[in-house]
Amino acid sequence: MALVNVKTKEVQVKIVYYGPGRGGKTTNLEYINKKYRERLKTQMVSLKTHDDRTLFFDFLPFDVGKIKGFQIVIQLYTVPGQVKYNETRKVVLGGVDGIVFVADVQLNQRKRNIESLNQLYENLKTHQLDLFKMPLVMQYNKIDLKNQNIPIIPSRIMQKDLNSHLKAPAFEASALKGGNVIPTLKRIVSMTLASIQDELF
Amino acid sequence: MFDIKAPKTKEALAQFNHEFSIFIRLEDCENIADLFNTIRLLQNLARGNKILEALLRMIQSISAFLNKNKAFDRKLTLTTLTAIKEDFDSIIYSASMSDDASIKAYRHSLSLFHDLKHRIALAPYQPLLEELKSAILSLEWEINPDTTHAFSLKVNRLKMKWQSNKLYDSFLNILHALGQYTHKKKASADEEAVVLIRTVYDHLETIVTKPGLTFEQKKSLLLDDIQRYRTFKAKIQPKKTRPAAEKPIAEADIPELKPALSQFSSQTDSASMEVDELVSLSDEQLVAQEIEDKNLKSAPIQPPSKPKTDVMDDLFNPKASPVDDLLDKIHLMNVLGKDKAAAPGMMESQEAGFEEQGMKSYAPGKKDQQPIEEITNRIDDFFDIGSSAAPAKKKTPPAPDRNKIPKGPIGPLVHAVNRASRELNLPNVNEISIKLSQLKTALKKDPNIRIADKPGEFNSLIDAIDSLVNTMIQGMK
């Protein structure tokens, strides 16, 4: 739920990057943080395990400026992708306003993508949220691996596997190289703000 | 001619037998000088008889070694020495011995002598070989970082000692390569790797410890091992490369899987929703992105300025960051269990506090609507890395489409009309009035804005008002 402080005219929007482990959620935030570090004026918070895996979550807040007199603060979060941290994922999803589902296009990750999306639906249900009624953007990450002779899933199959029911906007991306990372972010921020514009602006 | 019946020879032989028996029996070998003198005397007497001369030289050489080196295998040395002495005796005391038998006895002694000499030469390396063997046994038992490291260490030590011996070095090179492989792959290493290590080691040990082998036999063993190694390498090679990646995967080759959320999709009528297009990413776009990122000035990282507070302030100040709240929740979940951590009372009290602070919450929903112009412009400006103070972006006029809100001065008005079309009520109609007056003011302030320059926007406005009128007519009916 977007938090609005009517006294200070500040709107806080929470966007969560969700997806299977090692899919590139943290890499998305790291790219955003690196590219806009001068503009964001905030620091990315990242709690990692000894082998560089996300332990709790990553957090990157930034202020995009005013819209109709309201200061818009976007808070980007990632969830830990490892299977064992599902309870942490549930907690991080609390109060979410928009979701970017970061799927891994490697052929051997196909089932994990589907399982992760199914689990996202279940986890949102614990917060009385419906994935079908949430602002959502699909991101098919690691598309650049096709140039390294690594078998990847064609985007049409990705759409069929993950997006045939949700019908959300989808982006092919390479978080490592920054390909379509910002368009993905712009789209989810835009969708999330649009979803509350009638009540707010 | 060596005549054992000659008194001088007879006396010398008796002296030799006596001193030799004392030398063999006594550990301290005090009379070694006497023995050597007698041997020299016999060598003079046997001059011309090459077999006897050679045997006497062997006896002298081994005796001298025995006298100087106490650490070496004494039993083996004495056995060899005694055996050579027996061959010497059999030649000189057996009157009926043929020349062939003499040569055979000589060859037997020579073989024993060379074997001993080889073992003496090998002595410094024997412990290293034993250690390598032990390391292989450990590797056979378990492949872990310790055993692979120990194996590599032993191989490298021997390589340093035998770097001038091409034959030994070749065996060690194979062992080194196999050691590197097992170290890298650890428990997932192919089982055949350790078997091959053992085979190569056995062959190395054979050629090192058995001097009787001919060069051809040694070479044959080495070539066999090289071939085995090549076969093994070819076997593990496909695991390193990805055979399937040579050609792109055809969609037909990918098996059908039940799409995600199939079990939940009946809960909504999502099938009727319009599918958003997939935004693809070409190689050219990726390269362009990389070039753009490289060209950007790498701004120095400046940590956000913090107001100076002392440590006690930090300790007693209430937590304000959402990260702290989230960490608290995760911590509570870990400590109390997931059910208690999500106690409903906590959130209710929190929300009550929100209202006091002027906070309201809005639940976003997936609505099929375009963002208003201000949202789009604000986001575009923020993420346009070239803009510094978020100037208004020049945009091409959109195509006249009643579902799309045009950008520019007319946009807010069109948006207000669209909203009233969906839900006709007094606030929405009032909003049209407000937006219309704002547009008039904007037109007065900026005479450069001319509707005629933006026919697409103007058409959109006409379409939107037309839509509103239709809605109102429908409502009146």
Side-chain angles (χ1 to χ4, degrees), chain B residues 136 139-140 151 171 174-175 177-179 181-182 190-204 221-222 224-236:
Chain B
I136 292 170
L139 209 59
E140 284 176 330
F151 174 74
F171 280 100
I174 299 173
L175 290 174
L178 291 168
Y181 166 76
T182 48
D190 194 301
E191 287 176 9
E192 205 182 307
V194 181
V195 176
L196 190 53
I197 284 174
R198 185 59 195 252
T199 308
V200 175
Y201 172 79
D202 286 345
H203 290 164
L204 173 67
L221 284 174
L222 176 62
D224 283 352
D225 284 349
I226 289 173
Q227 188 53 44
R228 282 193 189 94
Y229 173 69
R230 283 181 179 158
T231 311
F232 175 74
K233 202 175 166 187
K235 183 186 166 191
I236 58 167

Side-chain angles (χ1 to χ4, degrees), chain A residues 153-167:
Chain A
I153 311 165
S155 291
R156 213 180 67 81
I157 302 288
M158 291 294 287
Q159 285 279 69
K160 200 173 169 186
D161 282 352
L162 306 173
N163 209 13
S164 55
H165 296 291
L166 290 164
K167 303 185 192 308

Side-chain angles (χ1 to χ4, degrees), chain A residues 35-190:
Chain A
K35 185 162 183 176
Y36 293 97
R37 64 188 171 200
E38 203 178 13
R39 190 164 290 192
L40 299 183
K41 292 172 186 164
T42 50
Q43 277 184 319
M44 181 171 160
V45 177
S46 197
L47 298 165
K48 291 182 176 180
T49 62
H50 68 282
D51 56 347
D52 215 28
R53 305 289 301 270
T54 303
L55 178 59
F56 293 136
F57 54 84
D58 304 306
F59 175 64
L60 178 61
F62 57 92
D63 186 336
V64 292
K66 282 187 177 178
I67 298 176
K68 295 211 167 194
F70 282 92
Q71 199 73 32
I72 308 295
V73 177
I74 307 292
Q75 296 172 344
L76 302 183
Y77 287 85
T78 67
V79 294
Q82 292 181 75
V83 176
K84 59 185 172 183
Y85 294 135
N86 193 41
E87 291 306 319
T88 306
R89 278 195 288 280
K90 281 184 194 173
V91 173
V92 176
L93 280 172
V96 62
D97 298 309
I99 291 166
V100 176
F101 185 81
V102 183
D104 189 334
V105 297
Q106 290 183 87
L107 191 62
N108 56 10
Q109 298 297 307
R110 195 176 168 207
K111 280 185 182 172
R112 289 181 62 211
N113 288 330
I114 295 172
E115 286 165 5
S116 178
L117 190 57
N118 285 333
Q119 196 182 55
L120 169 63
Y121 177 86
E122 297 286 357
N123 286 345
L124 284 171
K125 257 172 67 174
T126 62
H127 295 286
Q128 286 78 49
L129 291 170
D130 186 347
L131 180 61
F132 287 93
K133 294 173 183 169
M134 293 280 298
L136 169 75
V137 172
M138 308 295 295
Q139 187 186 73
Y140 305 144
N141 192 27
K142 305 187 188 179
I143 201 83
D144 54 305
L145 290 181
K146 67 184 171 193
N147 298 327
Q148 295 173 32
N149 281 343
I150 293 173
I152 64 165
I153 311 165
S155 291
R156 213 180 67 81
I157 302 288
M158 291 294 287
Q159 285 279 69
K160 200 173 169 186
D161 282 352
L162 306 173
N163 209 13
S164 55
H165 296 291
L166 290 164
K167 303 185 192 308
F171 291 82
E172 289 180 350
S174 166
L176 199 63
K177 297 182 176 182
N180 272 346
V181 169
I182 302 305
T184 306
L185 175 62
K186 282 170 73 174
R187 190 64 183 268
I188 190 63
V189 171
S190 174

Side-chain angles (χ1 to χ4, degrees), chain A residues 2 4 6 31 36-37 39 59 64 110 118 121 133 149 156 160-161 165-166 170 172 187 190 194-195 197, chain B residues 245 251 255-256 260-261 267 270 279 281 289 293 299 323 358 360 362 365-366 369 372 378 382-383 387:
Chain A
V4 181
V6 290
Y31 178 81
Y36 293 97
R37 64 188 171 200
R39 190 164 290 192
F59 175 64
V64 292
R110 195 176 168 207
N118 285 333
Y121 177 86
K133 294 173 183 169
N149 281 343
R156 213 180 67 81
K160 200 173 169 186
D161 282 352
H165 296 291
L166 290 164
E172 289 180 350
R187 190 64 183 268
S190 174
S195 73
Q197 67 189 10
Chain B
E251 284 186 24
E256 282 284 327
L261 307 167
Q267 295 175 8
S270 62
V279 180
L281 181 66
Q289 179 73 57
D293 288 349
V323 172
K360 284 185 178 177
Y362 294 96
K366 192 177 182 180
Q369 68 179 30
I372 57 172
R378 185 65 252 163
F382 182 80
F383 287 107
S387 74

